[in-house]
Amino acid sequence: MLSGRIAYTLGLEGPAVTVDTACSSALVSLHLAARALRAQECSLALVGGVFVASTPVMFTDFSAQLGLAPDGRCKAFGDGADGMGVAEGSGVIVVERLSDAQRNGHRILAVVRGSAMNQDGASNGLTAPNGPSQQRVIRAALANARLSPADIDAVEAHGTGTALGDPIEAQALLATYGQERPKERPLLLGSIKANLGHPQQAAGMAGVIKMVLALQHNLLPRTLHADRPSPHIDWSSGQVRLLTEAEPWEPGERPRRAGVSGFGMSGTNVHVILSEAPADSVPEAAEAGADADAAQHADELPQEKPELLTGGPAVWLVSSRSEAGLATQARRLAAFTGDRPEQDPADVGWSLATTRSAFEYRAAVLGGEQGELLAGLRALAEGERAPGAARGVLRGVVSRVGRKVFVFPGQGAQWAGMGREMLAASPVFAARLADCARALDPYVEWELEDVLLGREGAPGLERADVVQPALWAVMVSLAAMWEAAGIHPDAVVGHSQGEIAAACVAGMLSLEDAARVVAVRSRALSTLAVSAGMLSVVMPVASVEELLTTDQEWAERLSVAAVNGPATTVVSGDLDALDAFERLLSARRVLRWRVPQMDFVAHSSRVEALAEDLLRELAPIRPRTGRIPLYSTVTGERREGPELDAGYWYANVRQRVRFQDAVVALAGSGHRAFLEVSPHPVLTAAIEETFEELGGADAPLVTGTLEREDAGARRFLAALARGTRSDCPSTGRRRSRPATRSNCPPTPSPGSSTGSPRPPRRRPRQRASRRARPRPGSGPRSRTPTCPASPAARRGTAAAGRAPARADLLAQARAGTFRHRVLALPGLLEADRRPRAGPPHRHLAAGRRHRPGRPGTHRAVPADPHRPRRPGGRRRHRRRRHGRRRRH
């Protein structure tokens, strides 16, 4: 259970496996982690090995078998090899895909080029090594790394220092690495067991760490206690030399590489091939096979990561196991901070996020100063809901949330002045916007920042060739803010021109290619010599199509441009025909409105005149496989990236926008959190309506990013707290010291649902009748999550936050440095800690059976009303009271 406990403590998800193949355990774990990363089962992996000699078995049993060296020293491959010495220890490394590590700006110590694993099978004993199996695993690792034996400089051998194992391993190395290599460059052989002994399950991890340090220090250390190589090994049969002295290992024209072996006495063998890190985090041509797309993404993000926000309100997080407990916690926090006005609100927010448990009932209080935060806490304590939201109070119950989607709308989300506040408040937004401006420069005649700030001489947003590139740049920059805050999408979807931003964020189009597509597309639409517009109609698409067939002229001049939801359809066409159609809708009292600022007609037959020009001008783009999937609103299906060529982008502007179909496909694949990345939300209602029509128990979490009336740091922080499945950040200055628990009142007992420091006094158990028992989910003490029925209520519920960022935050706190001024606060919105419902779980511990509702247990749950009563309950109850033995 060790891996499961680590995952629980750090809040990690994905595969969690504890491996025990004896001495090869650590390298088996590394092999499995690399496979999981390549299969995209996880994006980051912790790999470790540990051995503690908690009993004397290692000494008594191995000594009886003459497996221990009398002096306790491992003399690997030496003349005096007479057994091993036992060591203890642990080691952990972090493994990540090379392209991800480069994009994330992580320091790369080495690259795992390849690995292989096999089993001895029916060999000559459980602990005896098998030479042919060792040769096979080495050759398989070389094939996996696409390297030849001559490409490897050194091998960190298993090398236990026994007269049986060392000759077998050396002969396997001579037969594989020792052949077909220049005499002046023999394979250099060593074993860390000569330095520290044999740490059993942690042996492979010690070998990996040794070779990484050797790469850093440009030196291969000598193998101790082996001044004279073993005479039982035919060293002349291949080009292999024992490291009896330290050997310089300087960088050269080719990457330095080393193998690490782990041969378990279980018969499981592993060989891993390590390579030095790419120079300046850019893969060399020879390393392209390890991660072909790394160089493509190297220039997409700035090398120096800017701060997320330079100002904004602090965020205080409060949680409890009941609604009453939430109010009690808010009251206690208000009393604590009110008596200590010297406390920095950012420090209090930091401590609330990193040192407190996260329970089912959650609230976030936003405020620029302590007085505003205290007012929000008092409103929370008094149970105010709707009025509290205006004061920066967000509250709700944990909801079941699936994977996250970034949603990018088309034209219609823009407004004069969009992005202005974020330019001043967020260095991340400003930096990404500057990248977009540079990418747009070859295709436009205006400056992006001048347009957004409304400077004199800059064109307005009335023209399609201005508003579409500007809106694209704002959406891409807002997506960078979400990801800088730790919110990474599992998929993207875009509406019409929004698909260009979606493809860019997904990595399917480079920033330059995306800029070309949006500029060429918008300029071509502006050249259409037609007077056209778009009309949004609150009707199902079938009804709209039926109305369009009532007039022959409408069938030729009007068409369905987009299907956004079950009752949201957009019609595109010539203005005079659109006016006549609108008069018919008005007579039938159908709700509708014009899509603002449309001087062109897209998604109709009128666009066919642009086909030749669009295909020619977009031919140079080079789409590629994205880091996350895109759900196409052209086809309504999932796309991986290479399909998004010039022909696709012509179809994007010509064909009907199938946004509803894309949302249905996302829902079917388990996506439940939709984050509209735009300066104003325009698609949130359509997404909610689509899910309402689909039905199901799980309501989606839908939120925007900014709003026309509220487009600053406060609104962005509220969006993070309201609807994301990840961490809710809080602004604060850089600290030279970590915040401590003393910034907040004492942590309440886990057994208390009200947040009081002590659990409530135990009440005498009473037997309730079937009629008197509460139903699951009823009553104020139930912790069964409730989902509001209406979209408006759902928008007010809190959602998810996992704790994976917690370890990173604590590490930064200990180091006294933070990457951003906005600090991620894990625990506000956590879908993985859902309250349990249903029949009580029985736990047998210390001979006593768990009683439902008993405080102080792991988690108390309401009694089950459907559990059948035992026959003769009263008589049985009397027997128990009079000391008769209770039967189980």
Side-chain angles (χ1 to χ4, degrees):
M1 293 179 61
L2 181 59
S3 59
R5 293 298 84 195
I6 294 173
Y8 176 83
T9 301
L10 300 179
L12 304 179
E13 298 179 352
V17 182
T18 302
V19 175
D20 188 0
T21 57
C23 316
S24 59
S25 298
L27 292 187
V28 170
S29 300
L30 180 57
H31 173 76
L32 296 177
R35 292 292 179 91
L37 286 166
R38 293 190 179 103
Q40 297 185 351
E41 295 177 341
C42 56
S43 59
L44 196 73
L46 293 180
V47 182
V50 58
F51 174 70
V52 177
S54 56
T55 67
V57 171
M58 286 299 303
F59 301 95
T60 57
D61 290 18
F62 275 81
S63 179
Q65 297 180 22
L66 304 179
L68 294 183
D71 56 1
R73 295 175 175 176
C74 292
K75 309 169 186 67
F77 307 106
D79 185 18
D82 55 359
M84 69 175 187
V86 179
E88 296 178 305
S90 64
V92 179
I93 59 175
V94 180
V95 188
E96 189 176 21
R97 284 176 56 88
L98 178 60
S99 58
D100 292 342
Q102 289 174 324
R103 279 197 302 273
N104 296 332
H106 293 163
R107 182 186 177 194
I108 303 171
L109 303 179
V111 177
V112 179
R113 277 302 303 266
S115 61
M117 176 175 63
N118 71 5
Q119 166 62 223
D120 289 344
S123 59
N124 61 344
L126 176 63
T127 62
N130 183 271
S133 296
Q134 293 182 14
Q135 294 183 36
R136 285 194 296 271
V137 78
I138 291 172
R139 292 192 176 100
L142 286 169
N144 181 254
R146 299 182 180 90
L147 297 172
S148 68
D151 294 324
I152 309 302
D153 303 320
V155 164
E156 170 61 24
H158 190 66
T160 55
T162 62
L164 174 64
D166 285 359
I168 293 176
E169 182 176 5
Q171 289 303 138
L173 292 169
L174 286 162
T176 51
Y177 284 117
Q179 310 302 314
E180 301 178 2
R181 61 185 306 127
K183 293 183 179 181
E184 66 276 8
R185 196 166 56 83
L187 180 79
L188 302 177
L189 179 63
S191 174
I192 196 173
K193 296 177 181 64
N195 300 81
L196 51 82
H198 190 356
Q200 305 297 312
Q201 281 84 348
M205 193 53 56
V208 170
I209 293 173
K210 171 190 171 181
M211 298 316 296
V212 170
L213 292 173
L215 288 167
Q216 291 180 348
H217 293 276
N218 304 324
L219 182 71
L220 288 166
R222 73 186 184 101
T223 298
L224 304 180
H225 321 302
D227 297 334
R228 290 182 299 173
S230 172
H232 305 293
I233 301 171
D234 184 9
W235 298 100
S236 63
S237 62
Q239 300 298 320
V240 176
R241 179 163 62 87
L242 186 62
L243 282 164
T244 56
E245 297 294 338
E247 185 80 13
W249 199 20
E250 300 290 343
E253 296 180 356
R254 47 180 292 279
R256 295 171 292 171
R257 305 184 183 96
V260 183
S261 293
F263 305 134
M265 64 180 180
S266 63
T268 300
N269 309 309
V270 186
H271 192 71
V272 175
I273 296 176
L274 302 177
S275 175
E276 67 177 315
D280 299 327
S281 297
V282 177
E284 300 182 24
E287 298 291 316
D291 213 321
D293 63 338
Q296 296 177 341
H297 297 288
D299 58 346
E300 290 191 6
L301 290 177
Q303 296 297 321
E304 294 294 332
K305 290 194 174 182
E307 298 172 355
L308 179 54
L309 291 172
T310 56
V315 181
W316 287 2
L317 309 181
V318 185
S319 74
S320 183
R321 287 180 171 172
S322 69
E323 188 169 358
L326 192 66
T328 302
Q329 286 285 66
R331 196 175 297 112
R332 292 176 63 242
L333 180 60
F336 181 87
T337 54
D339 294 339
R340 296 166 178 81
E342 72 281 359
Q343 290 280 0
D344 185 349
D347 285 339
V348 175
W350 170 264
S351 297
L352 288 170
T354 59
T355 66
R356 310 305 292 268
S357 299
F359 297 114
E360 296 83 36
Y361 289 80
R362 313 277 174 84
V365 180
L366 288 74
E369 56 184 15
Q370 192 176 42
E372 186 179 1
L373 291 161
L374 289 175
L377 288 174
R378 294 188 187 100
L380 183 61
E382 294 169 4
E384 298 182 22
R385 289 181 174 272
R391 291 191 291 269
V393 178
L394 304 168
R395 59 185 296 169
V397 184
V398 173
S399 303
R400 295 184 61 188
V401 184
R403 290 180 286 181
K404 299 179 293 297
V405 185
F406 278 6
V407 182
F408 299 89
Q411 190 165 335
Q414 75 278 356
W415 50 278
M418 62 176 179
R420 182 178 303 170
E421 292 184 57
M422 281 294 106
L423 267 173
S426 173
V428 168
F429 181 89
R432 194 58 171 163
L433 195 74
D435 294 337
C436 295
R438 285 191 291 270
L440 286 171
D441 275 344
Y443 310 105
V444 299
E445 299 177 351
W446 38 265
E447 294 293 332
L448 177 60
E449 189 171 306
D450 293 346
V451 171
L452 297 181
L453 296 180
R455 290 173 179 162
E456 185 177 355
L461 298 179
E462 297 81 13
R463 292 163 38 190
D465 60 337
V466 176
V467 64
Q468 291 193 6
L471 184 58
W472 166 80
V474 169
M475 292 191 295
V476 170
S477 303
L478 289 175
M481 290 185 65
W482 280 100
E483 298 204 64
I487 312 302
H488 302 284
D490 300 298
V492 294
V493 63
H495 187 288
S496 188
Q497 76 153 80
E499 265 198 330
I500 307 172
C504 181
V505 171
M508 298 175 182
L509 291 180
S510 67
L511 200 65
E512 291 72 21
D513 281 351
R516 174 189 286 269
V517 173
V518 71
V520 168
R521 179 186 188 275
S522 61
R523 186 171 62 242
L525 288 173
S526 294
T527 61
L528 283 176
V530 293
S531 179
M534 288 188 176
L535 180 70
S536 183
V537 184
V538 184
M539 285 181 69
V541 61
S543 301
V544 172
E545 289 176 332
E546 183 179 355
L547 286 179
L548 291 177
T549 59
T550 59
D551 191 307
Q552 181 64 31
E553 184 181 1
W554 291 350
E556 297 176 356
R557 303 178 64 191
L558 298 178
S559 60
V560 173
V563 182
N564 296 338
T568 308
T569 307
V570 179
V571 176
S572 172
D574 298 344
L575 279 181
D576 53 349
L578 206 62
D579 291 339
F581 182 63
E582 188 173 8
R583 286 193 294 270
L584 174 64
L585 295 176
S586 177
R588 299 194 177 198
R589 298 186 177 181
V590 176
L591 185 64
R592 76 280 172 202
W593 60 87
R594 288 292 179 98
V595 178
Q597 299 177 352
M598 299 295 292
D599 60 346
F600 59 90
V601 53
H603 311 293
S604 72
S605 58
R606 299 282 189 180
V607 180
E608 294 175 1
L610 306 176
E612 184 178 349
D613 292 340
L614 283 174
L615 293 174
R616 183 185 68 255
E617 294 193 56
L618 297 181
I621 67 171
R622 294 293 179 264
R624 60 204 182 194
T625 301
R627 59 189 177 99
I628 52 176
L630 177 144
Y631 281 75
S632 169
T633 52
V634 176
T635 65
E637 300 172 348
R638 172 174 170 151
R639 289 291 177 261
E640 300 298 330
E643 314 95 322
L644 308 187
D645 56 6
Y648 179 88
W649 294 112
Y650 167 69
N652 167 271
V653 72
R654 168 62 183 90
Q655 302 297 330
R656 176 184 301 181
V657 180
R658 300 173 60 181
F659 184 75
Q660 182 186 4
D661 292 343
V663 173
V664 170
L666 285 161
S669 56
H671 296 81
R672 291 295 183 275
F674 290 78
L675 317 177
E676 183 172 335
V677 185
S678 67
H680 188 79
V682 294
L683 293 174
T684 53
I687 297 170
E688 290 171 340
E689 290 169 3
T690 300
F691 270 86
E692 285 179 355
E693 185 183 51
L694 292 174
D698 297 336
L701 289 165
V702 186
T703 185
T705 302
L706 302 178
E707 293 179 352
R708 184 179 291 107
E709 295 79 15
D710 189 4
R714 178 185 290 268
R715 178 63 182 85
F716 180 73
L717 291 174
L720 289 175
R722 180 178 294 113
T724 67
R725 182 190 158 90
S726 199
D727 308 325
C728 170
S730 166
T731 56
R733 53 177 170 78
R734 291 184 186 269
R735 295 164 180 75
S736 58
R737 56 174 178 80
T740 62
R741 287 182 184 269
S742 62
N743 287 355
C744 298
T747 303
S749 167
S752 170
S753 64
T754 61
S756 58
R758 295 179 299 175
R761 181 179 300 175
R762 179 181 172 185
R763 296 180 179 178
R765 187 182 181 193
Q766 298 179 355
R767 190 174 186 86
S769 66
R770 181 189 298 267
R771 182 173 297 176
R773 292 174 185 167
R775 292 183 306 230
S778 65
R781 294 185 62 81
S782 171
R783 288 181 303 280
T784 303
T786 59
C787 295
S790 67
R794 279 200 301 272
R795 283 195 293 268
T797 62
R802 301 187 300 248
R806 184 170 310 208
D808 183 52
L809 291 171
L810 294 179
Q812 293 180 46
R814 295 189 187 101
T817 59
F818 300 104
R819 180 173 295 176
H820 306 300
R821 290 196 186 196
V822 173
L823 309 176
L825 302 185
L828 169 62
L829 312 167
E830 184 157 37
D832 299 329
R833 293 188 179 181
R834 294 187 287 273
R836 298 182 182 180
H841 297 263
R842 297 184 179 88
H843 304 279
L844 296 179
R848 302 181 65 181
R849 191 161 68 176
H850 170 75
R851 298 178 180 178
R854 178 183 175 188
T857 56
H858 174 66
R859 183 170 291 205
V861 296
D864 181 20
H866 305 293
R867 177 183 173 187
R869 297 176 60 185
R870 298 179 184 271
R874 290 186 177 277
R875 184 179 303 171
R876 186 180 181 88
H877 181 63
R878 292 194 188 98
R879 284 201 297 267
R880 285 201 300 268
R881 290 183 60 185
H882 287 83
R884 295 285 297 274
R885 184 175 180 179
R886 182 178 179 181
R887 293 179 295 174
H888 290 280

PDB file of all heavy atoms in Angstrom, residues 299-311:
ATOM      1  N   ASP A 299       9.501  26.902 -28.731  1.00  0.00           N
ATOM      2  CA  ASP A 299       9.434  28.359 -28.838  1.00  0.00           C
ATOM      3  C   ASP A 299       8.034  28.911 -28.577  1.00  0.00           C
ATOM      4  O   ASP A 299       7.773  30.076 -28.812  1.00  0.00           O
ATOM      5  CB  ASP A 299       9.880  28.794 -30.252  1.00  0.00           C
ATOM      6  CG  ASP A 299       9.026  28.168 -31.336  1.00  0.00           C
ATOM      7  OD1 ASP A 299       8.288  27.205 -31.011  1.00  0.00           O
ATOM      8  OD2 ASP A 299       9.107  28.631 -32.484  1.00  0.00           O
ATOM      9  N   GLU A 300       7.123  28.083 -28.071  1.00  0.00           N
ATOM     10  CA  GLU A 300       5.751  28.544 -27.942  1.00  0.00           C
ATOM     11  C   GLU A 300       5.494  29.306 -26.651  1.00  0.00           C
ATOM     12  O   GLU A 300       4.543  30.055 -26.553  1.00  0.00           O
ATOM     13  CB  GLU A 300       4.796  27.353 -28.028  1.00  0.00           C
ATOM     14  CG  GLU A 300       4.758  26.760 -29.428  1.00  0.00           C
ATOM     15  CD  GLU A 300       3.621  25.775 -29.568  1.00  0.00           C
ATOM     16  OE1 GLU A 300       2.829  25.654 -28.618  1.00  0.00           O
ATOM     17  OE2 GLU A 300       3.527  25.147 -30.620  1.00  0.00           O
ATOM     18  N   LEU A 301       6.304  29.093 -25.620  1.00  0.00           N
ATOM     19  CA  LEU A 301       6.115  29.790 -24.354  1.00  0.00           C
ATOM     20  C   LEU A 301       7.388  30.548 -24.012  1.00  0.00           C
ATOM     21  O   LEU A 301       8.492  30.112 -24.359  1.00  0.00           O
ATOM     22  CB  LEU A 301       5.782  28.797 -23.235  1.00  0.00           C
ATOM     23  CG  LEU A 301       4.397  28.146 -23.319  1.00  0.00           C
ATOM     24  CD1 LEU A 301       4.236  27.136 -22.204  1.00  0.00           C
ATOM     25  CD2 LEU A 301       3.297  29.184 -23.249  1.00  0.00           C
ATOM     26  N   PRO A 302       7.282  31.663 -23.351  1.00  0.00           N
ATOM     27  CA  PRO A 302       8.474  32.423 -22.987  1.00  0.00           C
ATOM     28  C   PRO A 302       9.362  31.630 -22.047  1.00  0.00           C
ATOM     29  O   PRO A 302       8.904  30.834 -21.242  1.00  0.00           O
ATOM     30  CB  PRO A 302       7.906  33.672 -22.296  1.00  0.00           C
ATOM     31  CG  PRO A 302       6.525  33.290 -21.890  1.00  0.00           C
ATOM     32  CD  PRO A 302       6.040  32.305 -22.888  1.00  0.00           C
ATOM     33  N   GLN A 303      10.684  31.837 -22.148  1.00  0.00           N
ATOM     34  CA  GLN A 303      11.622  31.116 -21.308  1.00  0.00           C
ATOM     35  C   GLN A 303      11.462  31.514 -19.846  1.00  0.00           C
ATOM     36  O   GLN A 303      11.504  30.681 -18.966  1.00  0.00           O
ATOM     37  CB  GLN A 303      13.053  31.397 -21.783  1.00  0.00           C
ATOM     38  CG  GLN A 303      13.338  30.879 -23.184  1.00  0.00           C
ATOM     39  CD  GLN A 303      13.212  29.382 -23.269  1.00  0.00           C
ATOM     40  OE1 GLN A 303      13.605  28.657 -22.366  1.00  0.00           O
ATOM     41  NE2 GLN A 303      12.629  28.904 -24.364  1.00  0.00           N
ATOM     42  N   GLU A 304      11.302  32.797 -19.587  1.00  0.00           N
ATOM     43  CA  GLU A 304      11.091  33.261 -18.218  1.00  0.00           C
ATOM     44  C   GLU A 304       9.596  33.330 -17.952  1.00  0.00           C
ATOM     45  O   GLU A 304       8.863  34.032 -18.639  1.00  0.00           O
ATOM     46  CB  GLU A 304      11.734  34.649 -18.028  1.00  0.00           C
ATOM     47  CG  GLU A 304      13.252  34.647 -18.131  1.00  0.00           C
ATOM     48  CD  GLU A 304      13.898  33.869 -17.001  1.00  0.00           C
ATOM     49  OE1 GLU A 304      13.300  33.798 -15.907  1.00  0.00           O
ATOM     50  OE2 GLU A 304      14.991  33.332 -17.208  1.00  0.00           O
ATOM     51  N   LYS A 305       9.145  32.596 -16.958  1.00  0.00           N
ATOM     52  CA  LYS A 305       7.719  32.565 -16.674  1.00  0.00           C
ATOM     53  C   LYS A 305       7.311  33.814 -15.895  1.00  0.00           C
ATOM     54  O   LYS A 305       7.784  34.038 -14.787  1.00  0.00           O
ATOM     55  CB  LYS A 305       7.365  31.315 -15.878  1.00  0.00           C
ATOM     56  CG  LYS A 305       7.483  30.048 -16.706  1.00  0.00           C
ATOM     57  CD  LYS A 305       6.821  28.899 -16.004  1.00  0.00           C
ATOM     58  CE  LYS A 305       6.803  27.675 -16.905  1.00  0.00           C
ATOM     59  NZ  LYS A 305       6.124  26.536 -16.277  1.00  0.00           N
ATOM     60  N   PRO A 306       6.433  34.624 -16.455  1.00  0.00           N
ATOM     61  CA  PRO A 306       6.004  35.836 -15.736  1.00  0.00           C
ATOM     62  C   PRO A 306       5.018  35.491 -14.633  1.00  0.00           C
ATOM     63  O   PRO A 306       4.499  34.379 -14.547  1.00  0.00           O
ATOM     64  CB  PRO A 306       5.347  36.678 -16.836  1.00  0.00           C
ATOM     65  CG  PRO A 306       4.864  35.663 -17.829  1.00  0.00           C
ATOM     66  CD  PRO A 306       5.845  34.524 -17.793  1.00  0.00           C
ATOM     67  N   GLU A 307       4.760  36.472 -13.794  1.00  0.00           N
ATOM     68  CA  GLU A 307       3.795  36.290 -12.711  1.00  0.00           C
ATOM     69  C   GLU A 307       2.385  36.274 -13.278  1.00  0.00           C
ATOM     70  O   GLU A 307       2.093  36.909 -14.286  1.00  0.00           O
ATOM     71  CB  GLU A 307       3.945  37.410 -11.690  1.00  0.00           C
ATOM     72  CG  GLU A 307       5.313  37.431 -11.017  1.00  0.00           C
ATOM     73  CD  GLU A 307       5.501  38.664 -10.159  1.00  0.00           C
ATOM     74  OE1 GLU A 307       4.605  39.516 -10.178  1.00  0.00           O
ATOM     75  OE2 GLU A 307       6.525  38.766  -9.483  1.00  0.00           O
ATOM     76  N   LEU A 308       1.512  35.556 -12.608  1.00  0.00           N
ATOM     77  CA  LEU A 308       0.138  35.462 -13.080  1.00  0.00           C
ATOM     78  C   LEU A 308      -0.611  36.770 -12.859  1.00  0.00           C
ATOM     79  O   LEU A 308      -1.227  37.310 -13.776  1.00  0.00           O
ATOM     80  CB  LEU A 308      -0.578  34.306 -12.373  1.00  0.00           C
ATOM     81  CG  LEU A 308      -2.043  34.100 -12.739  1.00  0.00           C
ATOM     82  CD1 LEU A 308      -2.226  33.966 -14.238  1.00  0.00           C
ATOM     83  CD2 LEU A 308      -2.590  32.878 -12.028  1.00  0.00           C
ATOM     84  N   LEU A 309      -0.585  37.281 -11.627  1.00  0.00           N
ATOM     85  CA  LEU A 309      -1.250  38.541 -11.313  1.00  0.00           C
ATOM     86  C   LEU A 309      -0.345  39.365 -10.415  1.00  0.00           C
ATOM     87  O   LEU A 309       0.323  38.831  -9.532  1.00  0.00           O
ATOM     88  CB  LEU A 309      -2.579  38.291 -10.592  1.00  0.00           C
ATOM     89  CG  LEU A 309      -3.717  37.666 -11.395  1.00  0.00           C
ATOM     90  CD1 LEU A 309      -4.879  37.324 -10.486  1.00  0.00           C
ATOM     91  CD2 LEU A 309      -4.166  38.574 -12.516  1.00  0.00           C
ATOM     92  N   THR A 310      -0.311  40.647 -10.662  1.00  0.00           N
ATOM     93  CA  THR A 310       0.471  41.541  -9.802  1.00  0.00           C
ATOM     94  C   THR A 310      -0.388  42.203  -8.742  1.00  0.00           C
ATOM     95  O   THR A 310       0.123  42.913  -7.883  1.00  0.00           O
ATOM     96  CB  THR A 310       1.147  42.629 -10.652  1.00  0.00           C
ATOM     97  OG1 THR A 310       0.149  43.329 -11.412  1.00  0.00           O
ATOM     98  CG2 THR A 310       2.149  42.007 -11.600  1.00  0.00           C
ATOM     99  N   GLY A 311      -1.659  42.021  -8.791  1.00  0.00           N
ATOM    100  CA  GLY A 311      -2.556  42.593  -7.800  1.00  0.00           C
ATOM    101  C   GLY A 311      -3.868  41.852  -7.808  1.00  0.00           C
ATOM    102  O   GLY A 311      -4.092  40.955  -8.614  1.00  0.00           O
TER     103      GLY A 311
END
